[in-house]
Amino acid sequence: MAECGRKALSLLEAARSRYESLQISDDVFGESGDDSSDNPFYSTSGDSDSDNCIAEVGEEQHGGAGGSSGAGPPGCLSHTQAEEEGWTETLQDVTVPPYNETHGPAQKMPATATALDFFQLFVPDNCIQNMVTQTNMYAKKFQERFGSDEGWRPVTAQEMNAFLGFVISTSVHRCESVLSIWSSGFFSNRSIALKMSQSRFEKILKYFHIVAFRPSQGSNQGLYKIQPFLDLLQQSFSCTFRPSQTQVLHEPLIDEDPVFITTCTERELRKRKKRKFSLWVRQCTSTGFICQIYVHLKENQGADGLAALKNKPQLHSLVAKQLCHNMSGKNVIIFTGPSITSLSLFTEFSKQDIYCCGLLSTRKSDCTGLPQSMLVCGSTPAQRGQSRVMMKGTMSLISWYNKGHFRFLTNAYSPTKQGMIIKRKSGDIPCPLAVEAFAAHLSYICKYDDKYSKYFIFHKPNKTWQQVFWLSISIAINNAYILYKMSDAYAAKRYSRAQFGERLVRELLDVGDCSPTQ
């Protein structure tokens, strides 16, 4: 019992620490000390091992066990090889062509638009009707095989909207389980509980489907029950919003809120299982709008499986290519984390007029083709703000020191231009422009991840396809709120995130007066 209590406390402390780090905009490069100088942005997924991340950074900061005499990461080049491959300390100016694409919402929403109107940009009526059809088909087939269910009657579109509203309400009002809505305890929600009985909700939950039967063929059999919805969602993301020039590839925060963890019983904590999938996104850095999602299943045993993906940086580059497949020729700037950053990927992207700026790690990144001298720490202590740069064509490899060595690979920012990291405590720190740009966009996305968690749905189904579905719904709600904030409707009625989520739930349930109020 005591051991379970300690485990729960440990989980809570880790979650709180992660959430706190996401809210410190100027802590990206170690303002609070050495432990925080790791990149918090890429340590937010449920499978991250924060202790290992901290240990790695500590070793890199001090040059590792071997210091400057180390051989460097696999694939890196000796001094002679680097010169032969064209790496030089002679710097030249780099200019990225202008971004001529318009960006922002693709359609104008009226000032009278409701929360449901924005949500239906991504989950329209025909999508709801498809859920109704497939759920009823599955229920019929299930009962033909296993016997009739006397308590079942075909679900309607109105009931399906209410069903979604009940589950989405768990993101607005934290609860132990969606079934807690009908309880008489702390997590009950009597304002919406009367709209549908618990028994009816459970019947719909039992038979809920988007694709009722397995297709005869398809490339992604593991996601066949969710793939049509993901395709529709992806299309709606592309049709409703055009991102800015700067975008980022990463795994969004999908952990539970630390406040929720404190309310879990020890039994619930023991039952928590690791996710069987990983979700990557391409996200607009100026707004936080998620433009594209990509799902990997852990149960895949092939080369595309999640286990292989974590251990092989080249497979991360495959994810990057999938997320950027329609970005060719647009002169976008893509920010990446250590697991994606590589010379070969950035070189391939540059041929498609996709420019990149990525953080490098000698342990997580594919360092093939990079000069060893830039990847190992010298014996002479570096001063804060000091940097070295080597170039190959338009590609710059930067080594910058700030309570630890940070390395960047970029062809999006000129190495001849200087920037500044603004610190509240220790004053401004000089750096190359690429470092300042990376830190600025990183800080915004970290803050966005914390905001996105406000719409995290707490329903925990056992089936992976349903977990992916509700996570996708969470992303759709957040994108809907972003579009709402950029519309005339926000100027008329300035809903906060919580208010917008509450309005959406009540409109889906058709409860009370759902017209906008101040």
Side-chain angles (χ1 to χ4, degrees), residues 212-322:
F213 311 108
R214 182 181 294 275
S216 58
Q217 60 184 0
S219 60
N220 200 343
Q221 291 291 313
L223 288 174
Y224 79 95
K225 288 189 175 182
I226 186 70
Q227 196 61 56
F229 177 77
L230 294 180
D231 293 340
L232 174 67
L233 200 63
Q234 184 57 63
Q235 183 180 4
S236 65
F237 287 170
S238 301
C239 293
T240 58
F241 182 81
R242 291 181 288 264
S244 63
Q245 182 178 27
T246 53
Q247 298 166 41
V248 65
L249 309 182
H250 75 112
E251 292 180 90
L253 178 69
I254 55 178
D255 285 343
E256 292 89 347
D257 182 77
V259 175
F260 174 75
I261 293 178
T262 61
T263 65
C264 284
T265 64
E266 293 176 0
R267 180 183 177 186
E268 287 291 331
L269 287 171
R270 289 197 299 269
K271 287 171 63 179
R272 291 175 75 231
K273 298 178 180 179
K274 288 186 177 180
R275 288 179 287 105
K276 295 182 179 180
F277 67 93
S278 178
L279 184 140
W280 294 72
V281 303
R282 175 167 54 83
Q283 188 172 14
C284 171
T285 63
S286 63
T287 61
F289 190 96
I290 288 181
C291 309
Q292 189 169 352
I293 58 179
Y294 188 81
V295 180
H296 274 274
L297 295 182
K298 188 174 183 180
E299 56 259 33
N300 287 357
Q301 297 301 316
D304 197 40
L306 180 59
L309 181 68
K310 283 189 171 182
N311 297 322
K312 298 180 179 180
Q314 64 267 30
L315 290 180
H316 285 248
S317 71
L318 294 180
V319 174
K321 293 173 186 177
Q322 288 291 332

Side-chain angles (χ1 to χ4, degrees), residues 110-407:
T112 56
T114 65
L116 183 58
D117 290 332
F118 286 95
F119 179 69
Q120 287 182 332
L121 292 173
F122 309 111
V123 187
D125 287 336
N126 62 339
C127 181
I128 299 296
Q129 187 57 54
N130 181 68
M131 296 178 195
V132 170
T133 301
Q134 296 296 332
T135 298
N136 288 334
M137 287 175 61
Y138 180 80
K140 180 180 179 181
K141 195 71 174 180
F142 184 93
Q143 292 173 50
E144 287 175 354
R145 181 174 182 181
F146 298 104
S148 63
D149 185 343
E150 298 298 332
W152 170 255
R153 67 178 185 276
V155 67
T156 65
Q158 184 179 12
E159 286 182 313
M160 186 58 70
N161 273 318
F163 173 77
L164 294 177
F166 279 121
V167 181
I168 291 172
S169 72
T170 66
S171 69
V172 181
H173 302 281
R174 298 296 189 253
C175 61
E176 185 178 12
S177 163
V178 65
L179 299 181
S180 301
I181 292 171
W182 292 272
S183 72
S184 58
F186 176 77
F187 293 112
S188 63
N189 190 340
R190 305 308 298 173
S191 65
I192 64 175
L194 298 178
K195 191 63 182 179
M196 179 186 291
S197 68
Q198 180 177 346
S199 60
R200 179 58 176 166
F201 176 86
E202 290 180 355
K203 289 294 183 184
I204 299 175
L205 183 62
K206 176 181 179 180
Y207 296 118
F208 176 68
H209 267 71
I210 297 173
V211 174
F213 311 108
R214 182 181 294 275
S216 58
Q217 60 184 0
S219 60
N220 200 343
Q221 291 291 313
L223 288 174
Y224 79 95
K225 288 189 175 182
I226 186 70
Q227 196 61 56
F229 177 77
L230 294 180
D231 293 340
L232 174 67
L233 200 63
Q234 184 57 63
Q235 183 180 4
S236 65
F237 287 170
S238 301
C239 293
T240 58
F241 182 81
R242 291 181 288 264
S244 63
Q245 182 178 27
T246 53
Q247 298 166 41
V248 65
L249 309 182
H250 75 112
E251 292 180 90
L253 178 69
I254 55 178
D255 285 343
E256 292 89 347
D257 182 77
V259 175
F260 174 75
I261 293 178
T262 61
T263 65
C264 284
T265 64
E266 293 176 0
R267 180 183 177 186
E268 287 291 331
L269 287 171
R270 289 197 299 269
K271 287 171 63 179
R272 291 175 75 231
K273 298 178 180 179
K274 288 186 177 180
R275 288 179 287 105
K276 295 182 179 180
F277 67 93
S278 178
L279 184 140
W280 294 72
V281 303
R282 175 167 54 83
Q283 188 172 14
C284 171
T285 63
S286 63
T287 61
F289 190 96
I290 288 181
C291 309
Q292 189 169 352
I293 58 179
Y294 188 81
V295 180
H296 274 274
L297 295 182
K298 188 174 183 180
E299 56 259 33
N300 287 357
Q301 297 301 316
D304 197 40
L306 180 59
L309 181 68
K310 283 189 171 182
N311 297 322
K312 298 180 179 180
Q314 64 267 30
L315 290 180
H316 285 248
S317 71
L318 294 180
V319 174
K321 293 173 186 177
Q322 288 291 332
L323 290 172
C324 297
H325 73 277
N326 59 349
M327 294 289 101
S328 179
K330 295 185 176 181
N331 300 327
V332 297
I333 297 175
I334 299 294
F335 293 91
T336 65
S339 61
I340 293 179
T341 303
S342 73
L343 178 61
S344 60
L345 176 66
F346 284 14
T347 300
E348 183 175 345
F349 273 172
S350 66
K351 297 176 182 177
Q352 304 172 37
D353 295 325
I354 300 174
Y355 298 86
C356 305
C357 181
L359 182 65
L360 271 170
S361 165
T362 56
R363 289 170 175 80
K364 296 180 182 179
S365 304
D366 178 5
C367 295
T368 301
L370 301 178
Q372 174 185 334
S373 60
M374 295 290 290
L375 302 176
V376 297
C377 302
S379 56
T380 304
Q383 295 181 352
R384 198 173 191 187
Q386 183 178 344
S387 62
R388 289 182 58 213
V389 183
M390 291 191 72
M391 291 193 73
K392 178 182 179 180
T394 59
M395 196 73 65
S396 301
L397 176 58
I398 300 168
S399 177
W400 176 72
Y401 185 82
N402 177 36
K403 294 187 177 180
H405 289 276
F406 292 86
R407 299 175 179 89

